[in-house]
Amino acid sequence: MRIAVLGGLGLQGRAAIADLVASVDVEEVVCVDTASDGPARLEGLTDLSRVRFVVPEGAIGPALVNVLADVDAVIDLLPQPLMREAVLAAIATRTPLVTTNYGKAIADLAPAAEKAGVSIMTECGLDPGIDLVLYARAARQFDSIASIDSYCGGIPEPKAMAKPLCYKVSWNFDMVLVSQNRDSVMIEDGERVAVPAGRQHDNRFIHEIEVTGLGRLEAFPNGDALHYVEMLAAAKGLQRSGRYTLRWPGWSAFWAPLKELGFLSEDKVPGTSASPREFLGRLLGPQLQYGADEKDLCVMRNVFSGSEGGRRKTVTSELIIERDLQSGLFGMSLGVGYPASIVAQMLARGEITTPGLLNPLLHVPDGRFFDELAKHGIRVTETVDWD
């Protein structure tokens, strides 16, 4: 198989490339990135003899078409504004594609993908991604689901916490700030509850959970819970659901007043070329970098409650992914890059063939997927409690 990785020199791209090269079924990995020093950036990480580097020139659309015409599948890890170009190139060349970005932005391309007979797997990373496959697996364990609470976040290990944020950067920090401006949707008492971005750090929406070995973590809403619930037949009578970001306690107390003062505004400051959010990214990002001996932790928990056979039960799935200090790859990079690599190989082998815009919740075979994750050292623990 030949598989292309768009944005291959980024944090997640490097993890995906390392995993693809380690696969005996992958003959060549095509690393597509605007940086011209690809070999130097990947040196020591993987076998470069099986990696071909492509620096796109000219218009991005035609450049991507040229690359995709010669591969069996492609992983899109480009910045979100370029996702549409990648998907259009995949449709034009009928090349199966995996993207970690949200599918809503390209929903209008579904008919073209179906007509071309090509599979476009959206939202296939850590969160969303691994959690969505867990949704599908959990749904089969219930006659009806009453509540779903989903938690995920990237945090520094305790010894790497930096006051006052207790946070360090394991992915694009600007996107961390952008996510602070994302509206959320929850379900409370069976009703849709909209949470504007400006209110996500209000006390009424914040709570804490206890994680074994770490202690208490803060959870605040940051996602559209209703969007995924609508895909689950067993959740038609759902009473409560939320998708929450996890951080060390104090995160919301830090950001709430800054939001009110406009520090996350997208509007340019008069007389300057930067918005307050861009300024914060440039100011804080360099101060929040990990040391070579420090680990990030990706913590995920999904709690499903409902009934089966007339009895109430709760299924809780958990995982923690930590940085590999030997390779330097962050836990966040592994949590995003590995699922994308696994599913891209499924697509290339023809294990997933449904045409159109796909979603892991509906279209990724969970047994095979979690078996592969376990081989990568990512193991989900699951507990079942009966009332």
Side-chain angles (χ1 to χ4, degrees), residues 194-242:
V195 183
R199 302 266 68 88
Q200 71 178 160
H201 296 302
D202 287 2
N203 286 337
R204 67 160 293 206
F205 297 118
I206 301 166
H207 61 281
E208 292 187 350
I209 65 171
E210 185 80 22
V211 178
T212 302
L214 292 177
R216 302 192 69 78
L217 296 179
E218 178 182 303
F220 61 91
N222 195 9
D224 186 349
L226 186 59
H227 172 65
Y228 300 111
V229 166
E230 291 173 338
M231 301 181 190
L232 292 171
K236 296 304 181 185
L238 198 75
Q239 292 301 297
R240 188 189 77 246
S241 187

Side-chain angles (χ1 to χ4, degrees), residues 107-323:
D108 59 302
L109 297 180
E114 291 177 17
K115 184 177 180 180
V118 64
S119 302
I120 307 294
M121 185 69 71
T122 65
E123 304 180 10
C124 190
L126 173 68
D127 169 20
I130 294 176
D131 57 336
L132 300 181
V133 189
L134 284 169
Y135 273 41
R137 185 167 77 175
R140 293 198 300 273
Q141 303 179 53
F142 293 89
D143 296 326
S144 64
I145 301 176
S147 67
I148 303 174
D149 293 309
S150 298
Y151 304 91
C152 190
I155 58 174
E157 63 178 335
K159 74 171 188 178
M161 289 194 297
K163 300 287 185 178
L165 266 183
C166 297
Y167 181 81
K168 288 189 176 180
V169 180
S170 58
W171 64 302
N172 186 309
F173 187 56
D174 191 57
M175 290 305 298
V176 173
L177 297 180
V178 168
S179 72
Q180 300 284 98
N181 282 332
R182 186 166 62 211
D183 297 336
S184 303
V185 176
M186 304 173 66
I187 299 172
E188 294 181 352
D189 298 322
E191 300 293 329
R192 179 184 187 275
V193 176
V195 183
R199 302 266 68 88
Q200 71 178 160
H201 296 302
D202 287 2
N203 286 337
R204 67 160 293 206
F205 297 118
I206 301 166
H207 61 281
E208 292 187 350
I209 65 171
E210 185 80 22
V211 178
T212 302
L214 292 177
R216 302 192 69 78
L217 296 179
E218 178 182 303
F220 61 91
N222 195 9
D224 186 349
L226 186 59
H227 172 65
Y228 300 111
V229 166
E230 291 173 338
M231 301 181 190
L232 292 171
K236 296 304 181 185
L238 198 75
Q239 292 301 297
R240 188 189 77 246
S241 187
R243 292 178 66 81
Y244 303 94
T245 291
L246 292 175
R247 294 285 187 262
W248 288 111
W251 178 268
S252 293
F254 180 93
W255 287 110
L258 290 185
K259 275 189 175 182
E260 289 193 22
L261 292 171
F263 276 87
L264 290 179
S265 170
E266 307 283 352
D267 299 328
K268 302 296 182 185
V269 175
T272 76
S273 60
S275 69
R277 192 209 80 223
E278 291 169 333
F279 167 76
L280 274 183
R282 296 172 190 173
L283 174 67
L284 298 181
Q287 302 179 56
L288 300 174
Q289 299 302 307
Y290 281 90
D293 62 341
E294 294 179 334
K295 293 182 179 181
D296 73 313
L297 306 174
C298 291
V299 183
M300 178 181 287
R301 174 182 293 175
N302 290 277
V303 185
F304 308 87
S305 295
S307 62
E308 182 185 24
R311 297 179 61 190
R312 292 180 55 80
K313 77 172 186 178
T314 299
V315 175
T316 303
S317 61
E318 294 184 312
L319 67 83
I320 296 179
I321 310 171
E322 63 180 39
R323 186 183 190 184

